[in-house]
Amino acid sequence: MDLRGLTDEILLRLLKAGDDKAFKEIYSRYWKLLFEAAYHRLANRETAKELVQTIFLRIWEKRQTIHINHLHGYLQTAIKNSIINYFESTLVHKRYLQHVMNTTASACEGAESIINFHELSQAIEKAIGSLPEKTRQIFRLSRFDQLSIREIATNMNISEKAVEYHITQSLKTLRVYLKDYQDHTW
């Protein structure tokens, strides 16, 4: 059966039922569009491919539970968020490296400070990585992009209360993960 003439809505229903041909049609219909959007922003083919593949992998893995109303819009938002997350993680690592360089230049404790900072960096990454995807995304938008609660709510099409809840949960998780580092002075 040729699926090229089917609407996205029908393909999504077939996908939810586990039809791998429907998934392949969705993939072939949208892969290039997502890749071009990612490549345009990243200027790196491998990273763009990796982000797109991850989106499609998640769709396939969550095909029975995922709720998508408009496939094109969902995929555009997914690639945009993937690019944002990629830039944020790159920026976080650059900030950590810069902090380490600044710390080593001015710290009296030398190697011990670097080790402590490295451990703290790993603990922060682990804590952020343990957050559910939506909570992690909201936390990064709040703390790294410094968006307001209202801006995040508007961008993600959720209530401001939901944004506040996710930020609160993020901070609670970070406190637990970082409790051993609270007494350190940087």
Side-chain angles (χ1 to χ4, degrees):
M1 179 177 163
D2 185 13
L3 303 180
R4 288 181 287 181
L6 298 179
T7 64
D8 288 348
E9 290 77 20
I10 294 171
L11 288 172
L12 286 170
R13 275 188 256 142
L14 291 171
L15 173 67
K16 199 165 214 146
D19 187 331
D20 64 328
K21 290 179 183 168
F23 175 76
K24 288 176 185 172
E25 176 57 29
I26 291 169
Y27 183 89
S28 67
R29 198 175 280 187
Y30 287 103
W31 187 90
K32 185 176 181 182
L33 178 74
L34 295 182
F35 172 77
E36 288 173 352
Y39 182 69
H40 175 73
R41 296 265 202 259
L42 301 169
N44 182 312
R45 286 185 154 335
E46 291 308 311
T47 304
K49 284 181 189 177
E50 194 175 309
L51 293 180
V52 173
Q53 295 298 71
T54 301
I55 289 169
F56 282 108
L57 177 64
R58 266 192 243 127
I59 289 172
W60 178 251
E61 288 174 341
K62 297 181 179 191
R63 66 189 173 277
Q64 294 174 331
T65 57
I66 199 165
H67 182 71
I68 302 172
N69 290 326
H70 297 83
L71 183 59
H72 184 266
Y74 174 87
L75 292 171
Q76 289 290 344
T77 301
I79 196 64
K80 180 181 106 181
N81 290 338
S82 292
I83 292 166
I84 289 170
N85 289 341
Y86 173 79
F87 280 132
E88 286 174 352
S89 85
T90 302
L91 182 61
V92 166
H93 290 291
K94 285 180 182 176
R95 286 179 182 168
Y96 290 159
L97 289 174
Q98 185 62 44
H99 183 75
V100 168
M101 290 177 3
N102 292 342
T103 301
T104 56
S106 62
C108 299
E109 296 139 24
E112 187 177 333
S113 286
I114 295 170
I115 292 168
N116 289 339
F117 182 76
H118 182 68
E119 289 173 0
L120 176 62
S121 297
Q122 288 179 327
I124 291 170
E125 281 300 314
K126 185 176 180 183
I128 292 172
S130 75
L131 298 171
E133 184 176 337
K134 191 171 200 171
T135 304
R136 180 173 53 242
Q137 182 181 4
I138 290 170
F139 177 78
R140 289 180 187 275
L141 290 172
S142 170
R143 295 308 191 250
F144 298 134
D145 288 352
Q146 295 154 352
L147 295 181
S148 70
I149 290 173
R150 176 171 288 159
E151 290 170 322
I152 296 169
T154 302
N155 288 346
M156 296 189 71
N157 198 24
I158 58 175
S159 72
E160 290 181 24
K161 288 285 185 195
V163 172
E164 290 172 1
Y165 169 80
H166 286 288
I167 292 171
T168 300
Q169 294 306 308
S170 303
L171 294 174
K172 284 180 183 177
T173 301
L174 284 169
R175 274 189 211 101
V176 169
Y177 271 87
L178 302 176
K179 68 178 182 258
D180 295 337
Y181 297 93
Q182 289 177 352
D183 296 332
H184 292 279
T185 306
W186 296 94

